[in-house]
Amino acid sequence: MRILVTNDDGIHAPGLEVCVEIARALSDDVWVVAPEFDQSGVSHSLSLNDPLRLREIDPRRFAVKGTPTDCVIMGVRHILADKGPDLVLSGVNRGSNVAEDVTYSGTIAGAIEGTILGVPSIALSQSYGAETRQQPHWETALRHGPDLIRRVLEAGIPRDVLVNVNFPDRAPEAITGVAVASQGKRDQEWIRIDPRHDGRGNPYFWIAFARGPRPAPTGGTDLGALAAGRITVTPLRIDLTDEPFMTRLADVLG
């Protein structure tokens, strides 16, 4: 099995090395194509107005001055054009990618692009908390990742579906199980704009999140399962069509 590994935290991110180790537990044919710089939050953006600069770091390891989407396209259509990958692993992201995160995440985007190109793809993220922010439990993803991926592949990933996996902010032995969960939804009232001024008195702004206790996550979702110490597995479809509303619109507009 040929595996293409990418991420959105950049070519030097520790989570990328964890993802490579997970991939090597599954195959000895592992290739890395990752962004030259941190691309967190770029979602499924594609470089159309700038050239892509490709740098070979080591055999089977490349950096691209571009987005995770660019990296997967370069990997599949250029670097591995002779024999494409059988699996794309995107991550391991530093921080969870659950609920609305999936619409912003470059990690998810790497798996989206692999799926669009017809390659089974899995996004991997390691959650952290206030105490583990600087040193997430990478060993949790490393220990549980390979077997989980094997089981997902044995089940067979349908075409046009990617799999989003999140590891809890816990040591490997403290994991309470695996939850196949739906995508959750956060209370967006927590998003704030933090206005500031630079040294010259000019205004600038940060997107921030309010501090304090938050409502308990809903059971059955990726948010709830992750909070309960379970590894979350969420299948995501490329097709975003809302069929019930499409049917209603057809009745109104047809």
Side-chain angles (χ1 to χ4, degrees), residues 2 4 11 23 62 70 91 109 111 120 139 142-143 149 151 201 207 216 225 228 231-232 238 240:
R2 173 168 283 188
L4 173 62
I11 190 69
F62 300 83
D70 297 331
E139 67 277 11
L142 185 57
R143 180 178 308 178
I149 292 170
R151 293 162 64 189
I207 294 177
I231 300 169
T232 68
I238 296 296
L240 302 179

Side-chain angles (χ1 to χ4, degrees), residues 145-161:
D147 181 63
L148 182 68
I149 292 170
R150 288 190 190 99
R151 293 162 64 189
V152 169
L153 294 177
E154 287 173 3
I157 302 175
R159 187 173 181 82
D160 297 330
V161 173

Side-chain angles (χ1 to χ4, degrees), residues 81-223:
D82 61 329
K83 180 182 180 297
D86 303 296
L87 175 67
V88 170
L89 295 180
S90 186
V92 175
N93 189 67
R94 182 177 174 274
S96 62
N97 276 307
V98 291
E100 295 84 2
D101 299 343
V102 303
T103 65
Y104 304 119
S105 168
T107 301
I108 302 294
I112 288 174
E113 190 58 38
T115 302
I116 289 173
L117 295 175
V119 184
S121 301
I122 301 175
L124 305 166
S125 301
Q126 176 61 56
S127 181
Y128 64 77
E131 295 181 356
T132 56
R133 184 180 184 89
Q134 300 304 319
Q135 188 56 49
H137 288 290
W138 297 120
E139 67 277 11
T140 299
L142 185 57
R143 180 178 308 178
H144 293 280
D147 181 63
L148 182 68
I149 292 170
R150 288 190 190 99
R151 293 162 64 189
V152 169
L153 294 177
E154 287 173 3
I157 302 175
R159 187 173 181 82
D160 297 330
V161 173
L162 60 129
V163 177
N164 182 28
V165 176
N166 284 270
F167 300 96
D169 177 30
R170 296 191 177 193
E173 60 276 9
I175 297 300
T176 59
V178 177
V180 179
S182 63
Q183 181 183 338
K185 181 174 176 57
R186 293 191 181 92
D187 180 0
Q188 295 304 312
E189 292 301 316
W190 289 92
I191 294 180
R192 297 285 188 271
I193 295 297
D194 182 7
R196 302 187 184 185
H197 290 83
D198 63 21
R200 295 180 181 272
N202 299 312
Y204 68 98
F205 306 88
W206 283 104
I207 294 177
F209 299 91
R211 299 180 181 274
R214 302 193 179 188
T218 305
T221 67
D222 49 13
L223 287 167

